[in-house]
Amino acid sequence: MPFGGVTVKDVESHDFVKAFAAHLKKSGKVTLPAYVDYVKTGKHKELAPYDKDWYYIRAASVARHIYLRPSAGVGALRKIYGDRKRRGAAPAKYVKGSSSIARHVLQQLEAVKVLELDEDNGGRKLTSHGQRDMDRIAGQVLATKGKK
């Protein structure tokens, strides 16, 4: 980067989410809900996620989304993680994702001091500590991509 440091916008989303999820898991500050092993991520799903670390990946994805578009709340995250519901012979239709997962992820990211409430616009916004951590991890991701 010729004019400054690396931000989350400079790296691929998939690589950043994996790296930030590993950071959240390694820190040990994010507490998983008791239902994490058997909960579906929305009523459009038939089964729970296969990946054991799906909750950390969802938390990293939410943090990245709020980095790019601040003032997102539970309702906005429900829309983002919604999908089409297959209804057999009836046509498929769009349904929203789980609100309890979105709410719990936001609460955990607030507890880790990555997010804070946005009183002006509603929803959540990034803290300076959260932005610093995310940009640092983005720099690490870009550095490892450059070595390959």
Side-chain angles (χ1 to χ4, degrees), residues 73-108:
V74 175
L77 293 176
R78 286 188 70 195
K79 282 185 215 166
I80 293 165
Y81 294 107
D83 202 359
R84 69 183 180 98
K85 179 176 175 68
R86 296 179 58 185
R87 303 187 303 157
K93 68 177 194 175
Y94 176 81
V95 295
K96 294 180 180 178
S98 171
S99 62
S100 63
I101 293 173
R103 190 178 313 108
H104 195 270
V105 164
L106 289 174
Q107 289 169 352
Q108 290 303 308

Side-chain angles (χ1 to χ4, degrees), residues 22-34:
H23 168 74
L24 290 174
K25 184 176 181 179
K26 189 175 76 172
S27 72
K29 295 180 181 175
V30 175
T31 59
L32 299 177

Side-chain angles (χ1 to χ4, degrees), residues 103-119:
R103 190 178 313 108
H104 195 270
V105 164
L106 289 174
Q107 289 169 352
Q108 290 303 308
L109 289 174
E110 281 182 17
V112 179
K113 305 283 190 236
V114 173
L115 301 179
E116 64 185 0
L117 282 173
D118 188 2
E119 280 106 20

